[in-house]
Amino acid sequence: MAKINFGGVQETVITREEFPLEKAIDTLKYETIAIIGYGVQGPGQSLNLRDNGFNVIIGQRKGGKSWKKAIADGWIEGETLFEIEEACDNATIIQYLLSDAGQIDAWQQVKKSLTAGKTLYFSHGFGIIFNEQTNIIPPADVDVILVAPKGSGTSLRRLFLKGEGVNSSIAVYQNATGRAYEKAIALGIGVGSGYLFETDFRKEVYSDLTGERGILMGALAGMFEAQYEVLRSNGHSPSEAFNETVEELTQSLMPLVAENGMDWMFANTSVTAQRGALDWKGKFKQAAKPIFEQLYEEVASGREATRVIIEGSSPDYREKLDVELAEIRESELWKAGAAVRKLRPKL
Ligand SMILES: NC(=O)c1ccc[n+]([C@@H]2O[C@H](COP(=O)([O-])OP(=O)(O)OC[C@H]3O[C@@H](n4cnc5c(N)ncnc54)[C@H](O)[C@@H]3O)[C@@H](O)[C@H]2O)c1
Ligand SMILES: CC(C)(O)[C@@H](O)C(=O)O
Ligand SMILES: [Mg+2]
Ligand SMILES: [Mg+2]
């Protein structure tokens, strides 16, 4: 496996050159893979696996939106689409892709079919690491592995269709057969990952929960609102406030960061912008770091997991979520965003 130097620290990365798709298919040629849950990761991972030539079936609660989506995506009831229990019985590898709270509810159904030598696969360390709260304790004679794409299931599918990929973290929690590691790599390649980064279940879940609550989603959304509101309260128009807060970030500056790093983006802005940004960066870091420390502590203590489980298992969770998302969508900031998005020049 490749040893790559990340800013002075050597880490192991598995590349598609070392473990090509043909080797992944050969590794899993006797396996039936059941994707349990057809929400966001389920479609991305299962469709990529199917297109890559693996033997895949779906297990999903019958009748709802996800079931209908599976049928629309070409899965056939009774052949490749089953209720959760039947799919688990038919499979040798169970990819447990229900929502993290849903995994608690369905665990007894899944556990029943985990006979010796089967593989239980997660895309997040949540159920296992917080097992004092989830009660997800797999039998000792099954392999327990993780492939966690570091991106949305939607991006996993979109990039796969473009011939690109998302990078994934991989880990082994239990190696009952002696083949858990190679199965994790083969599935990582099979679901359409680019490079595979080694981690363990605990590190994956702590970093993932911190990242999505922090800079990837929570902090970002909060910072957008804070700056937008200050600009608006000082008399700037919605379009000006939105352009200066979101549009320029996503369309112009972040692509430069993605391409060649922060200093490259700075190097492509004015001296005025550079000077001001470098001076203000320290103040923002000072203000934000204690919040990130508090966030990490909430994650590591398990309290964040408790909140997710309680909220996520409430019967009206989806309705309440829809209300919260509608509030964001209907806010002036994001209505301005919808109008600005229509004005992206395509020359
Ligand atoms: N969403 C992502 O892009 C993403 C990215 C990386 C990792 N993950 C991880 O992948 C896993 C799946 O996440 P997701 O976002 O795709 O899930 P999701 O929230 O979209 O839910 C998936 C499915 O779970 C089913 N479900 C929910 N509660 C259930 C219950 N009580 N009984 C039976 N079925 C139930 C729903 O029908 C839905 O189709 C999680 O562990 C998550 O942390 C997700
Ligand atoms: C896509 C994310 C945010 O990276 C994932 O962690 C999730 O939970 O959906
Ligand atoms: Mg996550
Ligand atoms: Mg994530």
Side-chain angles (χ1 to χ4, degrees):
M1 304 303 157
K3 286 277 176 209
I4 296 183
N5 183 330
F6 292 95
V9 180
Q10 292 278 102
E11 295 184 46
T12 305
V13 176
I14 296 116
T15 70
R16 291 201 220 191
E17 286 73 42
E18 297 164 298
F19 208 101
L21 180 61
E22 299 69 44
K23 187 169 170 188
I25 291 172
D26 190 57
T27 304
L28 303 178
K29 64 182 172 227
Y30 300 120
E31 311 279 355
T32 300
I33 304 165
I35 305 288
I36 306 303
Y38 208 74
V40 182
Q41 278 298 319
Q45 296 195 23
S46 61
L47 295 172
N48 291 358
L49 281 165
R50 187 172 73 180
D51 288 354
N52 272 336
F54 293 84
N55 183 17
V56 192
I57 58 175
I58 306 293
Q60 169 62 38
R61 267 189 310 207
K62 199 168 175 172
K65 211 170 76 184
S66 300
W67 179 270
K68 289 186 192 127
K69 177 169 167 43
I71 289 174
D73 286 346
W75 303 100
I76 299 167
E77 188 174 345
E79 282 180 34
T80 52
L81 174 62
F82 302 93
E83 294 261 19
I84 292 174
E85 216 167 319
E86 199 178 350
C88 288
D89 286 343
N90 291 341
T92 54
I93 295 175
I94 294 173
Q95 295 195 191
Y96 206 15
L97 300 181
L98 297 183
S99 68
D100 294 297
Q103 289 176 20
I104 301 172
D105 283 350
W107 174 240
Q108 290 311 322
Q109 277 173 286
V110 171
K111 193 179 170 188
K112 270 196 295 182
S113 64
L114 281 172
T115 48
K118 283 198 183 186
T119 302
L120 179 62
Y121 163 119
F122 293 89
S123 284
H124 194 22
F126 194 99
I128 291 288
I129 292 305
F130 300 115
N131 64 12
E132 282 182 9
Q133 300 182 60
T134 64
N135 285 317
I136 296 180
I137 301 169
D141 52 8
V142 302
D143 292 339
V144 181
I145 61 176
L146 172 133
V147 175
K150 293 290 117 182
S152 166
T154 307
S155 317
L156 185 74
R157 181 65 180 157
R158 281 187 188 167
L159 290 172
F160 176 84
L161 290 173
K162 278 171 69 184
E164 298 174 13
V166 165
N167 290 332
S168 295
S169 296
I170 62 161
V172 171
Y173 180 74
Q174 228 169 247
N175 186 2
T177 66
R179 294 187 58 229
Y181 185 63
E182 62 172 347
K183 285 187 212 167
I185 297 174
L187 287 164
I189 300 294
V191 300
S193 314
Y195 293 87
L196 302 172
F197 294 77
E198 277 186 358
T199 187
D200 59 47
F201 273 58
R202 184 172 305 279
K203 293 223 172 75
E204 190 283 330
V205 78
Y206 286 9
S207 58
D208 192 83
L209 292 174
T210 301
E212 66 203 16
R213 280 153 181 72
I215 202 73
L216 300 178
M217 296 169 69
L220 185 73
M223 294 288 272
F224 281 165
E225 288 179 17
Q227 177 168 302
Y228 181 88
E229 285 171 17
V230 168
L231 289 172
R232 285 289 288 133
S233 66
N234 282 287
H236 297 269
S237 68
S239 67
E240 185 164 68
F242 187 86
N243 278 330
E244 210 56 54
T245 303
V246 181
E247 191 70 359
E248 181 172 338
L249 180 76
T250 61
Q251 301 307 300
S252 169
L253 299 185
M254 278 301 130
L256 294 177
V257 176
E259 187 181 287
N260 223 355
M262 202 72 178
D263 63 310
W264 168 246
M265 184 267 270
F266 271 55
N268 283 284
T269 61
S270 66
V271 169
T272 312
Q274 292 159 5
R275 187 65 269 132
L278 289 167
D279 290 346
W280 278 88
K281 170 176 163 288
K283 288 196 183 66
F284 280 109
K285 180 173 168 184
Q286 216 181 359
K289 201 166 169 194
I291 307 177
F292 282 107
E293 276 161 352
Q294 185 193 353
L295 164 58
Y296 195 86
E297 170 54 25
E298 288 299 295
V299 167
S301 66
R303 286 191 291 274
E304 200 57 32
T306 310
R307 278 190 283 274
V308 170
I309 293 168
I310 293 172
E311 291 289 326
S313 344
S314 105
D316 59 350
Y317 175 70
R318 289 279 155 193
E319 289 79 59
K320 286 202 301 211
L321 175 73
D322 286 346
V323 172
E324 281 182 89
L325 295 184
E327 251 171 49
I328 294 177
R329 192 167 50 247
E330 297 305 324
S331 68
E332 185 197 275
L333 191 170
W334 290 106
K335 276 185 163 165
V340 169
R341 286 198 294 275
K342 292 192 185 127
L343 304 178
R344 285 183 189 153
K346 290 255 185 307
L347 302 176

